[in-house]
Amino acid sequence: MMTHEELITELSHRLNWPEPKVAEMLEAAVEVMNAQLADNNPITLANLGDFITRRKTEYISVHPENNERWLIPPAIELLFEAAPELKEQLINNVKV
Amino acid sequence: MDRTGINEIASLLSAKNEKITKEEATLFLKEWIAVISDTLAEKKAVEVTGFGTFSFSPIRERETATQIEAGSEEVPYFYKIGFTPHASLKNSVNIFFSNFEPSLLSEGVTFDAIPEVIAGEEGEEEYIYNHLQKMVSFPKPPVPAATKEEPAITAEETTAEETTAEETTAEEIAAEEITSEEIAAEEIAAEEITTEEITAEEITAEEIATEEITAEEIKAEEITTEEITAEISENMIEPEASTEPEQAVEPLPPLSNILSESLQHLSPEPQVSHATTHRERGRRRRRQHSVWVPVLGGMAIIVAALFFFRDTPGKSGSNPL
């Protein structure tokens, strides 16, 4: 798994930027995207996918063993839908 | 609702920090996306602190394994693109319902408008959108080299022949596997049948042997009793001949009648059945032995009495006491 630090190092190598600048830029980008998503504004990133929010309605969850019934409250959840370009790139490049 | 794209985010970035230009922000976001997609292609996850974790993992591996075992030429491999939001992002998105908690319902409390779902079965629809399938073909088997007499075979004919050869080899392999499995199953069934027959035969042989042994024992005992009675009858004949005709002595009943009367209470020959056990046979023998003991004792007493009370020519006036 690529960690946050390794991501910064890789971006610094590709952009030929110093790592502090890359870290500052990444932190700012994350804050902006989080603010947009908290306002329930969907984000579309080309060649990556869509980040959308969806309201999940309340429902009653029944435990299969003891038949306990729990009322689950509604919630707003964040979903990610991959772009077709990303899917095609991954399928073509992935090594079985 | 208008969606926020890379340009809008770059504008917001440059507005937030004066040191960052819009071109730099756009370039940064594009490289960030490229690094994520390249890392996912290597089946590695990418963690972005404060935002979330992107993953690309194989799923439905059992279905792939069954296809491989079946010998398919093309095998499907299934993958899933996943994104797990960071806890802070998840809470900020769900801030309006963050204070709501699940509550246990009492029995009899129902809500018509609220559906009931079995725990563990909810939330499967959104993952299907990010499922991917890749068909992987296995390397073709080597085709035998063409002979010198047929140099005019075209490429199309060779490919057609290769496909037919592959199909026939696959079919032959499958047929061989099926026949080998059938043969193995038949052998196992035959072995089981033979073992069962052997055990049944052994059981019947043992029962027959035990029956023969009991019959022989009974016959031997009968023979011994007959011999004893014969001896006794012989002894009985001699004193009868030597007695004087003057004395009117009441003749003693023959021992054979006494024996027959004593033997009448005995049960008839035991009918040995296949269900008799060793214990029952032992009990039967013990009963027979227990009956014979007093009989033989009585016979011995009678023989002794005859021996002591009969007059022999060489022993006149002998007092046995």
Side-chain angles (χ1 to χ4, degrees):
Chain A
M1 184 169 111
M2 178 180 275
T3 61
H4 188 76
E5 291 76 19
E6 292 172 352
L7 176 63
I8 292 171
T9 305
E10 180 67 21
L11 283 169
S12 171
H13 178 73
R14 289 196 181 197
L15 293 168
N16 202 15
W17 290 359
E19 285 190 12
K21 182 178 179 181
V22 171
E24 184 182 352
M25 183 76 83
L26 184 59
E27 186 178 350
V30 167
E31 284 180 8
V32 167
M33 286 190 290
N34 286 358
Q36 290 293 311
L37 292 171
D39 292 338
N40 294 322
N41 294 328
I43 296 174
T44 297
L45 298 179
N47 299 328
L48 184 62
D50 300 339
F51 295 90
I52 56 176
T53 57
R54 187 177 70 178
R55 182 176 176 274
K56 202 172 179 182
T57 57
E58 64 274 13
Y59 63 95
I60 296 174
S61 177
V62 181
H63 199 276
E65 293 182 2
N66 53 18
N67 289 330
E68 282 183 350
R69 296 164 65 244
W70 291 83
L71 177 62
I72 307 299
I76 298 175
E77 57 181 0
L78 178 62
L79 301 176
F80 171 71
E81 293 181 358
E85 296 84 6
L86 176 64
K87 291 181 185 178
E88 187 177 349
Q89 181 184 355
L90 290 176
I91 286 299
N92 291 334
N93 297 336
V94 68
K95 296 178 183 178
V96 172
Chain B
M1 184 179 292
D2 294 334
R3 297 197 172 199
T4 306
I6 293 178
N7 293 329
E8 287 79 12
I9 294 174
S11 301
L12 291 169
L13 271 173
S14 64
K16 184 172 181 176
N17 194 341
E18 295 176 353
K19 298 178 183 179
I20 300 171
T21 63
K22 187 175 177 181
E23 291 76 19
E24 285 181 343
T26 306
L27 180 63
F28 173 82
L29 289 171
K30 287 182 180 178
E31 283 299 325
W32 178 61
I33 292 168
V35 168
I36 291 172
S37 60
D38 292 343
T39 307
L40 290 177
E42 297 175 5
K43 289 190 281 186
K44 287 183 185 178
V46 181
E47 179 189 4
V48 182
T49 302
F51 189 65
T53 304
F54 295 90
S55 63
F56 184 65
S57 55
I59 56 169
R60 295 163 64 178
E61 295 177 347
R62 190 179 299 175
E63 188 171 334
T64 301
T66 53
Q67 293 268 346
I68 292 171
E69 287 179 4
S72 302
E73 290 183 1
E74 281 195 332
V75 176
Y77 285 82
F78 301 93
Y79 299 94
K80 180 187 74 172
I81 303 172
F83 173 73
T84 306
H86 194 265
S88 60
L89 175 60
K90 197 174 180 180
N91 291 334
S92 62
V93 168
N94 191 37
I95 194 166
F96 298 108
F97 299 102
S98 60
N99 294 326
F100 286 70
E101 291 181 358
S103 56
L104 180 63
L105 294 176
S106 304
E107 292 184 7
V109 176
T110 57
F111 299 97
D112 295 336
I114 299 176
E116 292 192 1
V117 178
I118 297 173
E121 292 184 357
E122 57 293 301
E124 291 180 353
E125 296 178 358
E126 60 268 19
Y127 294 108
I128 296 174
Y129 181 85
N130 289 336
H131 285 188
L132 304 176
Q133 178 180 345
K134 178 170 185 175
M135 302 300 292
V136 176
S137 60
F138 286 102
K140 297 176 182 178
V143 180
T147 58
K148 293 182 180 179
E149 297 177 354
E150 298 177 356
I153 294 171
T154 60
E156 293 178 354
E157 290 178 353
T158 53
T159 54
E161 288 176 356
E162 286 174 356
T163 53
T164 54
E166 288 173 2
E167 291 175 355
T168 53
T169 53
E171 291 174 356
E172 286 173 0
I173 289 164
E176 286 176 359
E177 288 176 354
I178 292 164
T179 54
S180 63
E181 288 175 358
E182 288 177 353
I183 290 165
E186 288 176 357
E187 288 177 354
I188 291 163
E191 287 177 0
E192 289 177 355
I193 292 165
T194 53
T195 53
E196 289 176 358
E197 288 177 353
I198 289 165
T199 53
E201 289 175 357
E202 288 176 354
I203 291 163
T204 55
E206 287 177 0
E207 290 176 351
I208 291 166
T210 52
E211 290 175 6
E212 289 176 354
I213 290 165
T214 53
E216 289 176 356
E217 289 177 353
I218 292 164
K219 286 181 184 177
E221 289 172 355
E222 289 178 352
I223 290 165
T224 53
T225 54
E226 289 176 357
E227 289 175 354
I228 292 164
T229 54
E231 290 177 356
I232 293 166
S233 62
E234 287 176 358
N235 292 328
M236 283 290 292
I237 290 166
E238 292 179 357
E240 286 178 358
S242 61
T243 51
E244 294 178 2
E246 293 178 358
Q247 294 179 359
V249 180
E250 291 181 0
L252 290 172
L255 281 175
S256 62
N257 290 336
I258 295 169
L259 281 174
S260 63
E261 289 175 357
S262 65
L263 290 174
Q264 279 177 0
H265 70 280
L266 284 177
S267 61
E269 287 185 2
Q271 293 178 359
V272 179
S273 64
H274 293 287
T276 56
T277 60
H278 290 287
R279 285 186 182 175
E280 291 177 359
R281 292 181 196 134
R283 285 178 202 157
R284 208 176 292 127
R285 285 179 205 146
R286 277 187 232 120
R287 282 180 209 153
Q288 292 172 359
H289 288 303
S290 64
V291 168
W292 280 106
V293 166
V295 169
L296 291 173
M299 286 162 48
I301 292 166
I302 292 165
V303 168
L306 290 171
F307 179 76
F308 284 114
F309 287 112
R310 73 173 182 180
D311 292 335
T312 56
K315 291 183 181 178
S316 59
S318 62
N319 188 2
L321 296 176

Short mmCIF file of all heavy atoms in Angstrom, two decimals, chain A residues 31-83:
data_model
loop_
_atom_site.label_atom_id
_atom_site.label_comp_id
_atom_site.label_asym_id
_atom_site.label_seq_id
_atom_site.Cartn_x
_atom_site.Cartn_y
_atom_site.Cartn_z
N GLU A 31 -8.56 19.79 1.80
CA GLU A 31 -9.50 20.65 2.52
C GLU A 31 -10.58 21.19 1.61
O GLU A 31 -11.76 21.27 1.98
CB GLU A 31 -8.73 21.82 3.15
CG GLU A 31 -7.94 21.44 4.38
CD GLU A 31 -7.19 22.63 4.97
OE1 GLU A 31 -7.41 23.76 4.50
OE2 GLU A 31 -6.40 22.41 5.90
N VAL A 32 -10.20 21.59 0.41
CA VAL A 32 -11.19 22.14 -0.54
C VAL A 32 -12.21 21.08 -0.92
O VAL A 32 -13.43 21.34 -0.93
CB VAL A 32 -10.47 22.68 -1.80
CG1 VAL A 32 -11.46 22.95 -2.92
CG2 VAL A 32 -9.69 23.94 -1.45
N MET A 33 -11.73 19.87 -1.22
CA MET A 33 -12.65 18.80 -1.62
C MET A 33 -13.56 18.40 -0.46
O MET A 33 -14.76 18.16 -0.65
CB MET A 33 -11.85 17.60 -2.14
CG MET A 33 -11.25 17.84 -3.51
SD MET A 33 -10.54 16.38 -4.27
CE MET A 33 -9.12 16.09 -3.25
N ASN A 34 -13.02 18.36 0.76
CA ASN A 34 -13.85 18.00 1.91
C ASN A 34 -14.94 19.04 2.13
O ASN A 34 -16.08 18.72 2.48
CB ASN A 34 -12.98 17.86 3.15
CG ASN A 34 -12.16 16.58 3.12
OD1 ASN A 34 -12.26 15.77 2.19
ND2 ASN A 34 -11.33 16.39 4.12
N ALA A 35 -14.61 20.30 1.96
CA ALA A 35 -15.61 21.35 2.13
C ALA A 35 -16.72 21.23 1.10
O ALA A 35 -17.90 21.43 1.42
CB ALA A 35 -14.93 22.71 2.04
N GLN A 36 -16.33 20.95 -0.13
CA GLN A 36 -17.34 20.78 -1.16
C GLN A 36 -18.26 19.60 -0.88
O GLN A 36 -19.48 19.70 -1.03
CB GLN A 36 -16.67 20.58 -2.53
CG GLN A 36 -15.99 21.81 -3.08
CD GLN A 36 -16.98 22.91 -3.44
OE1 GLN A 36 -17.98 22.67 -4.11
NE2 GLN A 36 -16.71 24.12 -2.97
N LEU A 37 -17.69 18.51 -0.44
CA LEU A 37 -18.49 17.31 -0.16
C LEU A 37 -19.35 17.51 1.08
O LEU A 37 -20.46 17.00 1.16
CB LEU A 37 -17.57 16.10 0.01
CG LEU A 37 -16.85 15.63 -1.26
CD1 LEU A 37 -15.80 14.57 -0.92
CD2 LEU A 37 -17.82 15.12 -2.29
N ALA A 38 -18.86 18.25 2.07
CA ALA A 38 -19.67 18.51 3.27
C ALA A 38 -20.89 19.36 2.93
O ALA A 38 -21.91 19.27 3.60
CB ALA A 38 -18.82 19.20 4.32
N ASP A 39 -20.79 20.18 1.91
CA ASP A 39 -21.93 20.95 1.44
C ASP A 39 -22.79 20.16 0.48
O ASP A 39 -23.68 20.75 -0.16
CB ASP A 39 -21.45 22.25 0.75
CG ASP A 39 -20.81 23.21 1.75
OD1 ASP A 39 -21.11 23.09 2.95
OD2 ASP A 39 -20.00 24.05 1.31
N ASN A 40 -22.54 18.86 0.37
CA ASN A 40 -23.29 17.97 -0.53
C ASN A 40 -23.16 18.40 -1.98
O ASN A 40 -24.11 18.23 -2.78
CB ASN A 40 -24.76 17.89 -0.12
CG ASN A 40 -24.93 17.21 1.23
OD1 ASN A 40 -24.22 16.26 1.53
ND2 ASN A 40 -25.86 17.71 2.01
N ASN A 41 -21.97 18.93 -2.33
CA ASN A 41 -21.69 19.25 -3.74
C ASN A 41 -20.86 18.11 -4.32
O ASN A 41 -19.73 17.87 -3.88
CB ASN A 41 -20.92 20.56 -3.85
CG ASN A 41 -21.75 21.75 -3.39
OD1 ASN A 41 -22.97 21.78 -3.53
ND2 ASN A 41 -21.08 22.76 -2.84
N PRO A 42 -21.36 17.40 -5.33
CA PRO A 42 -20.57 16.30 -5.89
C PRO A 42 -19.35 16.82 -6.65
O PRO A 42 -19.38 17.95 -7.19
CB PRO A 42 -21.55 15.61 -6.84
CG PRO A 42 -22.58 16.64 -7.15
CD PRO A 42 -22.66 17.54 -5.98
N ILE A 43 -18.30 16.00 -6.67
CA ILE A 43 -17.04 16.35 -7.33
C ILE A 43 -16.78 15.35 -8.44
O ILE A 43 -16.91 14.14 -8.22
CB ILE A 43 -15.87 16.34 -6.33
CG1 ILE A 43 -16.05 17.41 -5.28
CG2 ILE A 43 -14.55 16.53 -7.07
CD1 ILE A 43 -15.00 17.37 -4.20
N THR A 44 -16.41 15.87 -9.62
CA THR A 44 -16.06 15.01 -10.75
C THR A 44 -14.61 15.28 -11.13
O THR A 44 -14.29 16.41 -11.54
CB THR A 44 -16.97 15.28 -11.96
OG1 THR A 44 -18.32 14.96 -11.60
CG2 THR A 44 -16.55 14.41 -13.14
N LEU A 45 -13.77 14.28 -11.00
CA LEU A 45 -12.36 14.39 -11.38
C LEU A 45 -12.15 13.55 -12.63
O LEU A 45 -12.38 12.33 -12.62
CB LEU A 45 -11.47 13.91 -10.25
CG LEU A 45 -11.57 14.71 -8.93
CD1 LEU A 45 -10.66 14.10 -7.88
CD2 LEU A 45 -11.21 16.17 -9.15
N ALA A 46 -11.70 14.20 -13.72
CA ALA A 46 -11.52 13.50 -14.99
C ALA A 46 -10.48 12.40 -14.84
O ALA A 46 -9.45 12.58 -14.16
CB ALA A 46 -11.08 14.49 -16.07
N ASN A 47 -10.77 11.25 -15.49
CA ASN A 47 -9.90 10.07 -15.47
C ASN A 47 -9.79 9.43 -14.09
O ASN A 47 -8.98 8.51 -13.90
CB ASN A 47 -8.49 10.41 -15.96
CG ASN A 47 -8.50 10.90 -17.40
OD1 ASN A 47 -9.34 10.48 -18.21
ND2 ASN A 47 -7.60 11.80 -17.73
N LEU A 48 -10.58 9.92 -13.10
CA LEU A 48 -10.58 9.27 -11.79
C LEU A 48 -11.98 8.77 -11.43
O LEU A 48 -12.18 7.58 -11.20
CB LEU A 48 -10.05 10.20 -10.71
CG LEU A 48 -9.93 9.56 -9.31
CD1 LEU A 48 -8.95 8.40 -9.32
CD2 LEU A 48 -9.52 10.60 -8.26
N GLY A 49 -12.93 9.69 -11.34
CA GLY A 49 -14.28 9.29 -11.02
C GLY A 49 -15.07 10.40 -10.35
O GLY A 49 -14.62 11.55 -10.27
N ASP A 50 -16.25 10.02 -9.89
CA ASP A 50 -17.17 10.98 -9.26
C ASP A 50 -17.27 10.67 -7.78
O ASP A 50 -17.40 9.51 -7.37
CB ASP A 50 -18.56 10.86 -9.89
CG ASP A 50 -18.54 11.15 -11.37
OD1 ASP A 50 -17.58 11.82 -11.82
OD2 ASP A 50 -19.46 10.72 -12.08
N PHE A 51 -17.24 11.75 -6.99
CA PHE A 51 -17.51 11.63 -5.55
C PHE A 51 -18.87 12.25 -5.31
O PHE A 51 -19.05 13.47 -5.52
CB PHE A 51 -16.44 12.36 -4.73
CG PHE A 51 -15.08 11.75 -4.88
CD1 PHE A 51 -14.21 12.19 -5.87
CD2 PHE A 51 -14.65 10.74 -4.04
CE1 PHE A 51 -12.95 11.63 -6.00
CE2 PHE A 51 -13.39 10.18 -4.17
CZ PHE A 51 -12.55 10.62 -5.16
N ILE A 52 -19.83 11.43 -4.91
CA ILE A 52 -21.20 11.91 -4.74
C ILE A 52 -21.67 11.57 -3.33
O ILE A 52 -21.18 10.64 -2.70
CB ILE A 52 -22.15 11.27 -5.78
CG1 ILE A 52 -22.09 9.74 -5.70
CG2 ILE A 52 -21.80 11.73 -7.19
CD1 ILE A 52 -23.06 9.03 -6.61
N THR A 53 -22.64 12.38 -2.87
CA THR A 53 -23.25 12.12 -1.57
C THR A 53 -24.67 11.64 -1.81
O THR A 53 -25.35 12.07 -2.76
CB THR A 53 -23.25 13.39 -0.71
OG1 THR A 53 -23.94 14.44 -1.42
CG2 THR A 53 -21.83 13.82 -0.41
N ARG A 54 -25.12 10.75 -0.96
CA ARG A 54 -26.46 10.18 -1.11
C ARG A 54 -27.07 10.01 0.26
O ARG A 54 -26.39 9.57 1.20
CB ARG A 54 -26.38 8.81 -1.81
CG ARG A 54 -27.74 8.23 -2.16
CD ARG A 54 -27.57 6.93 -2.91
NE ARG A 54 -27.08 5.86 -2.05
CZ ARG A 54 -26.89 4.62 -2.45
NH1 ARG A 54 -27.14 4.29 -3.68
NH2 ARG A 54 -26.43 3.71 -1.62
N ARG A 55 -28.36 10.35 0.37
CA ARG A 55 -29.04 10.19 1.64
C ARG A 55 -29.58 8.77 1.73
O ARG A 55 -30.34 8.32 0.86
CB ARG A 55 -30.19 11.20 1.75
CG ARG A 55 -30.94 11.12 3.08
CD ARG A 55 -32.00 12.21 3.18
NE ARG A 55 -32.78 12.09 4.40
CZ ARG A 55 -33.87 11.32 4.55
NH1 ARG A 55 -34.29 10.60 3.52
NH2 ARG A 55 -34.50 11.27 5.69
N LYS A 56 -29.18 8.11 2.77
CA LYS A 56 -29.63 6.74 3.00
C LYS A 56 -30.81 6.79 3.95
O LYS A 56 -30.70 7.32 5.06
CB LYS A 56 -28.48 5.93 3.61
CG LYS A 56 -28.57 4.44 3.43
CD LYS A 56 -27.29 3.78 3.90
CE LYS A 56 -27.37 2.29 3.75
NZ LYS A 56 -26.16 1.63 4.25
N THR A 57 -31.96 6.23 3.54
CA THR A 57 -33.17 6.31 4.36
C THR A 57 -33.05 5.37 5.56
O THR A 57 -32.27 4.43 5.59
CB THR A 57 -34.41 5.92 3.54
OG1 THR A 57 -34.20 4.61 3.00
CG2 THR A 57 -34.62 6.91 2.41
N GLU A 58 -33.90 5.64 6.54
CA GLU A 58 -33.89 4.79 7.74
C GLU A 58 -34.49 3.43 7.40
O GLU A 58 -35.30 3.31 6.47
CB GLU A 58 -34.69 5.44 8.89
CG GLU A 58 -36.17 5.62 8.62
CD GLU A 58 -36.45 6.91 7.89
OE1 GLU A 58 -35.48 7.53 7.39
OE2 GLU A 58 -37.62 7.31 7.81
N TYR A 59 -34.11 2.43 8.15
CA TYR A 59 -34.62 1.08 7.94
C TYR A 59 -34.52 0.33 9.26
O TYR A 59 -33.85 0.76 10.20
CB TYR A 59 -33.86 0.36 6.82
CG TYR A 59 -32.40 0.13 7.10
CD1 TYR A 59 -31.94 -1.06 7.63
CD2 TYR A 59 -31.45 1.12 6.81
CE1 TYR A 59 -30.61 -1.27 7.89
CE2 TYR A 59 -30.13 0.93 7.07
CZ TYR A 59 -29.71 -0.27 7.61
OH TYR A 59 -28.37 -0.48 7.86
N ILE A 60 -35.19 -0.81 9.30
CA ILE A 60 -35.18 -1.65 10.50
C ILE A 60 -34.29 -2.85 10.20
O ILE A 60 -34.55 -3.60 9.25
CB ILE A 60 -36.60 -2.13 10.88
CG1 ILE A 60 -37.47 -0.91 11.27
CG2 ILE A 60 -36.55 -3.12 12.03
CD1 ILE A 60 -38.92 -1.25 11.51
N SER A 61 -33.25 -3.01 10.99
CA SER A 61 -32.32 -4.12 10.81
C SER A 61 -32.73 -5.25 11.74
O SER A 61 -32.85 -5.06 12.95
CB SER A 61 -30.89 -3.66 11.11
OG SER A 61 -30.00 -4.74 11.02
N VAL A 62 -32.94 -6.43 11.17
CA VAL A 62 -33.37 -7.60 11.94
C VAL A 62 -32.18 -8.53 12.09
O VAL A 62 -31.58 -8.95 11.09
CB VAL A 62 -34.53 -8.32 11.24
CG1 VAL A 62 -34.99 -9.52 12.07
CG2 VAL A 62 -35.69 -7.37 11.00
N HIS A 63 -31.84 -8.85 13.35
CA HIS A 63 -30.74 -9.79 13.59
C HIS A 63 -31.23 -11.20 13.26
O HIS A 63 -32.28 -11.62 13.74
CB HIS A 63 -30.29 -9.71 15.04
CG HIS A 63 -28.92 -10.27 15.28
ND1 HIS A 63 -28.71 -11.61 15.47
CD2 HIS A 63 -27.71 -9.68 15.33
CE1 HIS A 63 -27.41 -11.81 15.63
NE2 HIS A 63 -26.79 -10.67 15.56
N PRO A 64 -30.48 -11.96 12.44
CA PRO A 64 -31.00 -13.28 12.02
C PRO A 64 -31.06 -14.30 13.13
O PRO A 64 -31.85 -15.25 13.06
CB PRO A 64 -30.02 -13.69 10.92
CG PRO A 64 -28.77 -12.94 11.21
CD PRO A 64 -29.19 -11.65 11.84
N GLU A 65 -30.24 -14.16 14.17
CA GLU A 65 -30.20 -15.20 15.20
C GLU A 65 -31.18 -14.95 16.33
O GLU A 65 -31.98 -15.81 16.68
CB GLU A 65 -28.77 -15.30 15.75
CG GLU A 65 -27.77 -15.82 14.72
CD GLU A 65 -26.37 -15.95 15.28
OE1 GLU A 65 -26.19 -15.67 16.49
OE2 GLU A 65 -25.47 -16.34 14.53
N ASN A 66 -31.11 -13.75 16.91
CA ASN A 66 -31.97 -13.50 18.06
C ASN A 66 -33.20 -12.66 17.70
O ASN A 66 -33.99 -12.31 18.58
CB ASN A 66 -31.19 -12.78 19.17
CG ASN A 66 -30.48 -11.53 18.65
OD1 ASN A 66 -30.83 -11.02 17.58
ND2 ASN A 66 -29.51 -11.05 19.39
N ASN A 67 -33.37 -12.35 16.40
CA ASN A 67 -34.54 -11.61 15.90
C ASN A 67 -34.71 -10.25 16.57
O ASN A 67 -35.84 -9.75 16.71
CB ASN A 67 -35.82 -12.46 16.09
CG ASN A 67 -35.84 -13.63 15.12
OD1 ASN A 67 -35.30 -13.54 14.03
ND2 ASN A 67 -36.47 -14.71 15.52
N GLU A 68 -33.62 -9.65 16.99
CA GLU A 68 -33.70 -8.29 17.52
C GLU A 68 -33.90 -7.30 16.38
O GLU A 68 -33.28 -7.43 15.32
CB GLU A 68 -32.41 -7.93 18.27
CG GLU A 68 -32.34 -8.54 19.66
CD GLU A 68 -31.08 -8.10 20.40
OE1 GLU A 68 -30.22 -7.48 19.77
OE2 GLU A 68 -30.99 -8.36 21.60
N ARG A 69 -34.73 -6.31 16.64
CA ARG A 69 -35.05 -5.33 15.60
C ARG A 69 -34.52 -3.97 16.03
O ARG A 69 -34.91 -3.45 17.08
CB ARG A 69 -36.57 -5.30 15.34
CG ARG A 69 -37.08 -6.64 14.78
CD ARG A 69 -38.57 -6.81 14.88
NE ARG A 69 -39.30 -5.86 14.07
CZ ARG A 69 -40.12 -4.93 14.57
NH1 ARG A 69 -40.28 -4.80 15.87
NH2 ARG A 69 -40.76 -4.11 13.77
N TRP A 70 -33.64 -3.42 15.23
CA TRP A 70 -33.01 -2.13 15.49
C TRP A 70 -33.43 -1.14 14.42
O TRP A 70 -33.37 -1.43 13.23
CB TRP A 70 -31.48 -2.27 15.49
CG TRP A 70 -30.93 -3.04 16.64
CD1 TRP A 70 -30.83 -4.39 16.74
CD2 TRP A 70 -30.42 -2.50 17.85
NE1 TRP A 70 -30.28 -4.73 17.95
CE2 TRP A 70 -30.01 -3.58 18.66
CE3 TRP A 70 -30.24 -1.20 18.35
CZ2 TRP A 70 -29.47 -3.42 19.93
CZ3 TRP A 70 -29.69 -1.04 19.63
CH2 TRP A 70 -29.31 -2.14 20.39
N LEU A 71 -33.84 0.06 14.89
CA LEU A 71 -34.18 1.13 13.96
C LEU A 71 -32.91 1.91 13.64
O LEU A 71 -32.34 2.58 14.53
CB LEU A 71 -35.23 2.06 14.58
CG LEU A 71 -35.63 3.28 13.74
CD1 LEU A 71 -36.25 2.83 12.41
CD2 LEU A 71 -36.57 4.19 14.50
N ILE A 72 -32.47 1.81 12.39
CA ILE A 72 -31.24 2.48 11.96
C ILE A 72 -31.63 3.86 11.42
O ILE A 72 -32.44 3.96 10.50
CB ILE A 72 -30.52 1.66 10.87
CG1 ILE A 72 -30.32 0.22 11.33
CG2 ILE A 72 -29.20 2.31 10.50
CD1 ILE A 72 -29.47 0.06 12.57
N PRO A 73 -31.05 4.92 11.95
CA PRO A 73 -31.47 6.27 11.52
C PRO A 73 -30.96 6.58 10.13
O PRO A 73 -30.05 5.92 9.62
CB PRO A 73 -30.81 7.18 12.57
CG PRO A 73 -29.63 6.42 13.05
CD PRO A 73 -30.01 4.97 12.99
N PRO A 74 -31.50 7.60 9.48
CA PRO A 74 -31.02 7.99 8.16
C PRO A 74 -29.62 8.57 8.26
O PRO A 74 -29.17 8.99 9.33
CB PRO A 74 -32.03 9.05 7.69
CG PRO A 74 -32.65 9.57 8.94
CD PRO A 74 -32.62 8.45 9.92
N ALA A 75 -28.92 8.56 7.12
CA ALA A 75 -27.55 9.04 7.10
C ALA A 75 -27.21 9.51 5.70
O ALA A 75 -27.86 9.12 4.73
CB ALA A 75 -26.58 7.94 7.53
N ILE A 76 -26.22 10.42 5.63
CA ILE A 76 -25.70 10.86 4.33
C ILE A 76 -24.36 10.17 4.14
O ILE A 76 -23.45 10.36 4.95
CB ILE A 76 -25.56 12.39 4.29
CG1 ILE A 76 -26.93 13.06 4.47
CG2 ILE A 76 -24.95 12.82 2.95
CD1 ILE A 76 -26.86 14.57 4.56
N GLU A 77 -24.23 9.41 3.07
CA GLU A 77 -23.01 8.65 2.83
C GLU A 77 -22.31 9.16 1.58
O GLU A 77 -22.94 9.72 0.68
CB GLU A 77 -23.32 7.16 2.69
CG GLU A 77 -24.31 6.82 1.60
CD GLU A 77 -24.61 5.35 1.51
OE1 GLU A 77 -24.05 4.56 2.30
OE2 GLU A 77 -25.41 4.98 0.64
N LEU A 78 -20.98 8.95 1.56
CA LEU A 78 -20.14 9.39 0.46
C LEU A 78 -19.83 8.18 -0.42
O LEU A 78 -19.33 7.17 0.08
CB LEU A 78 -18.85 10.01 0.98
CG LEU A 78 -17.83 10.47 -0.05
CD1 LEU A 78 -18.42 11.56 -0.94
CD2 LEU A 78 -16.57 10.96 0.63
N LEU A 79 -20.12 8.29 -1.69
CA LEU A 79 -19.87 7.20 -2.62
C LEU A 79 -18.88 7.63 -3.69
O LEU A 79 -18.79 8.82 -4.03
CB LEU A 79 -21.17 6.74 -3.30
CG LEU A 79 -22.28 6.25 -2.38
CD1 LEU A 79 -23.52 5.92 -3.20
CD2 LEU A 79 -21.83 5.03 -1.61
N PHE A 80 -18.14 6.66 -4.24
CA PHE A 80 -17.18 6.90 -5.31
C PHE A 80 -17.55 6.02 -6.49
O PHE A 80 -17.68 4.80 -6.34
CB PHE A 80 -15.76 6.57 -4.84
CG PHE A 80 -14.74 6.59 -5.95
CD1 PHE A 80 -14.36 7.79 -6.53
CD2 PHE A 80 -14.17 5.42 -6.40
CE1 PHE A 80 -13.42 7.80 -7.55
CE2 PHE A 80 -13.23 5.43 -7.42
CZ PHE A 80 -12.87 6.64 -8.00
N GLU A 81 -17.71 6.64 -7.65
CA GLU A 81 -17.99 5.91 -8.89
C GLU A 81 -16.82 6.15 -9.83
O GLU A 81 -16.58 7.28 -10.26
CB GLU A 81 -19.30 6.38 -9.52
CG GLU A 81 -20.53 6.03 -8.69
CD GLU A 81 -21.82 6.47 -9.32
OE1 GLU A 81 -21.76 7.10 -10.41
OE2 GLU A 81 -22.89 6.22 -8.74
N ALA A 82 -16.11 5.05 -10.16
CA ALA A 82 -14.91 5.17 -10.99
C ALA A 82 -15.27 5.59 -12.41
O ALA A 82 -16.30 5.19 -12.95
CB ALA A 82 -14.17 3.84 -11.01
N ALA A 83 -14.40 6.38 -13.02
CA ALA A 83 -14.62 6.84 -14.39
C ALA A 83 -14.36 5.69 -15.36
O ALA A 83 -13.53 4.81 -15.09
CB ALA A 83 -13.68 8.01 -14.71
#
